[in-house]
Amino acid sequence: MERKNIIIIGAAGRDFHNFNTYYRNNESYNVVAFTAAQIPDIDGRKYPSELAGELYPEGIPIYSQDQLPELIKELQVDECVFAYSDISYEDVMGIGAIVNAAGASFTLLGPKNTMLKSNKPVISVCAVRTGTGKSQTSRKIIETLLEHDLKVIAVRHPMPYGDLNAQRVQRFATVEDLKKNHCTIEEMEEYEPHVERGNIVYAGVDYADILAAAENDPDGCDVILWDGGNNDFSFFEPDLAVTVLDPHRPGHELKYYPGEVCLRTTDVAIINKVDSAPEEAVQIVENNIKFASPNSKIIKAESKITVDNPESIIGKRVLVVEDGPTLTHGEMKLGAGIVAAERMGAKEIIDPRTFAVGTLKETFDKYGHIGNVLPAMGYGEQQLKDLEETINKADCDVVIIGTPIDLSRVISINKPYTRVHYDLDEIAGPNLSDILKEFIQEHKLDSCDKQPVTIN
């Protein structure tokens, strides 16, 4: 039978996973290309033959998504598979129209074809948009499980922006491991909060190999926590699914792909940031949860903010630096840094666009919704340099770092700065601790549930 020619439309994450789980050894298909979007400088590479398998001895080229119509015609493509996340339904179907107009079919692969089954209990933490508070939720769950003397391994959604072969399976146990693996700011923002607390994190490219490594980690593994990225659904089949929602973007939970998939398949829905969002927005989100996932448990939570040196903000002109992806494809106009500046009585939040250089100027041009806040873009060395120069050029008294990592470790800041931290604080609904106790009992993970060893 003639193999169907396939293009996988992605962003260096879900696309590779879909290939690995569904297409790699499938002789019915011939994946002729990947396309790349969202993340700078990830096109122009190859998915290497070592990862692509025996059917692809030359590897698979990665092109810019802008070339999609021409590629469909030149490569005689039968079907295009959409495989990245945090994108509006309008944009998804806009890409679908481009694909159909060029003559190919348009496909979305679902959980049945892409989720891997673990031999350990799995908790997934996903979201309906980027920047809802997944990381603080993951930390809260892990800390609760650790109180029960359980070994928890976190597996993070992929961010393979470097040498794909070298990133096939990555294990992070210390901050030094982040340096050794040349992690970008985005990677450090996700891994560092875990390793600072003594948790082990796995990530990479081949999630079947990653899952096997996590299950057999030398330090032991009782529970695997899937720490989701963007608003993608889990790569692993969850035994307990948790989804985080953001009332600063009410209604988005029913308008973005695949965030609504996460919502409709969740066991626990957490409405985060209720302390800084309008009450009517919280109600919209709650109503949408009840509509799309009526059997899920609803928790309302605050994103509790603390500042290292709050007195340094009072009455000062401040530059606020926030998590890059939350502002860019997450479409947020503020984050914890802005909230801290307002609560701590900053005199003025300066406009960073006046001082932006290089790739950051391009970021502001591309994402026109970003206001008086600087996105911490750090996908490569040049972006780091541009971030450092922009901060150091800024006419301000203090820099507020609202990113999950201490930026001063990776760039030199020539003015006073203070860090903002944020944690999940449940205020209404079922308690995560009680939900996790039920999970522990169900999977016989607690010492009191384990069968005693009989010695003859």
mmCIF file of all heavy atoms in Angstrom, residues 4 62 80 180 259 266 269 309 338:
data_model
loop_
_atom_site.group_PDB
_atom_site.id
_atom_site.type_symbol
_atom_site.label_atom_id
_atom_site.label_comp_id
_atom_site.label_asym_id
_atom_site.label_seq_id
_atom_site.Cartn_x
_atom_site.Cartn_y
_atom_site.Cartn_z
ATOM 1 N N LYS A 4 1.005 7.395 2.913
ATOM 2 C CA LYS A 4 0.505 8.764 2.863
ATOM 3 C C LYS A 4 1.612 9.725 3.274
ATOM 4 O O LYS A 4 2.296 9.507 4.282
ATOM 5 C CB LYS A 4 -0.675 8.942 3.817
ATOM 6 C CG LYS A 4 -1.990 8.411 3.322
ATOM 7 C CD LYS A 4 -3.090 8.807 4.306
ATOM 8 C CE LYS A 4 -4.455 8.352 3.826
ATOM 9 N NZ LYS A 4 -5.514 8.755 4.787
ATOM 10 N N ILE A 62 12.911 20.288 9.190
ATOM 11 C CA ILE A 62 11.983 21.170 9.906
ATOM 12 C C ILE A 62 11.994 22.523 9.208
ATOM 13 O O ILE A 62 13.041 23.158 9.097
ATOM 14 C CB ILE A 62 12.397 21.332 11.388
ATOM 15 C CG1 ILE A 62 12.511 19.966 12.072
ATOM 16 C CG2 ILE A 62 11.387 22.229 12.124
ATOM 17 C CD1 ILE A 62 13.107 20.030 13.467
ATOM 18 N N CYS A 80 -2.011 17.015 6.808
ATOM 19 C CA CYS A 80 -1.223 17.806 7.755
ATOM 20 C C CYS A 80 -1.809 17.608 9.151
ATOM 21 O O CYS A 80 -3.025 17.684 9.339
ATOM 22 C CB CYS A 80 -1.253 19.292 7.393
ATOM 23 S SG CYS A 80 -0.327 19.689 5.893
ATOM 24 N N LYS A 180 24.711 22.533 32.968
ATOM 25 C CA LYS A 180 25.368 21.490 32.174
ATOM 26 C C LYS A 180 24.612 21.207 30.884
ATOM 27 O O LYS A 180 25.212 20.906 29.849
ATOM 28 C CB LYS A 180 25.473 20.216 33.026
ATOM 29 C CG LYS A 180 26.185 19.058 32.361
ATOM 30 C CD LYS A 180 26.338 17.893 33.324
ATOM 31 C CE LYS A 180 24.985 17.265 33.640
ATOM 32 N NZ LYS A 180 25.110 16.093 34.540
ATOM 33 N N GLY A 259 -6.750 23.561 25.289
ATOM 34 C CA GLY A 259 -7.125 23.816 26.670
ATOM 35 C C GLY A 259 -8.494 23.278 27.035
ATOM 36 O O GLY A 259 -8.699 22.763 28.141
ATOM 37 N N THR A 266 -10.852 16.726 32.891
ATOM 38 C CA THR A 266 -10.235 16.895 34.207
ATOM 39 C C THR A 266 -11.072 16.281 35.321
ATOM 40 O O THR A 266 -12.299 16.163 35.225
ATOM 41 C CB THR A 266 -9.965 18.383 34.506
ATOM 42 O OG1 THR A 266 -8.996 18.477 35.547
ATOM 43 C CG2 THR A 266 -11.237 19.121 34.932
ATOM 44 N N ALA A 269 -10.755 20.922 38.830
ATOM 45 C CA ALA A 269 -10.597 22.210 38.146
ATOM 46 C C ALA A 269 -10.269 23.276 39.191
ATOM 47 O O ALA A 269 -11.046 23.491 40.126
ATOM 48 C CB ALA A 269 -11.869 22.580 37.392
ATOM 49 N N ASN A 309 12.084 42.118 48.853
ATOM 50 C CA ASN A 309 12.314 43.412 49.507
ATOM 51 C C ASN A 309 11.172 44.364 49.159
ATOM 52 O O ASN A 309 11.334 45.264 48.322
ATOM 53 C CB ASN A 309 13.652 44.013 49.058
ATOM 54 C CG ASN A 309 14.830 43.121 49.392
ATOM 55 O OD1 ASN A 309 15.107 42.854 50.557
ATOM 56 N ND2 ASN A 309 15.521 42.646 48.364
ATOM 57 N N ILE A 338 3.617 42.764 38.048
ATOM 58 C CA ILE A 338 2.727 43.927 37.972
ATOM 59 C C ILE A 338 1.835 43.998 39.212
ATOM 60 O O ILE A 338 1.642 45.082 39.800
ATOM 61 C CB ILE A 338 1.861 43.863 36.694
ATOM 62 C CG1 ILE A 338 2.723 44.076 35.439
ATOM 63 C CG2 ILE A 338 0.739 44.893 36.747
ATOM 64 C CD1 ILE A 338 3.210 45.489 35.242
#
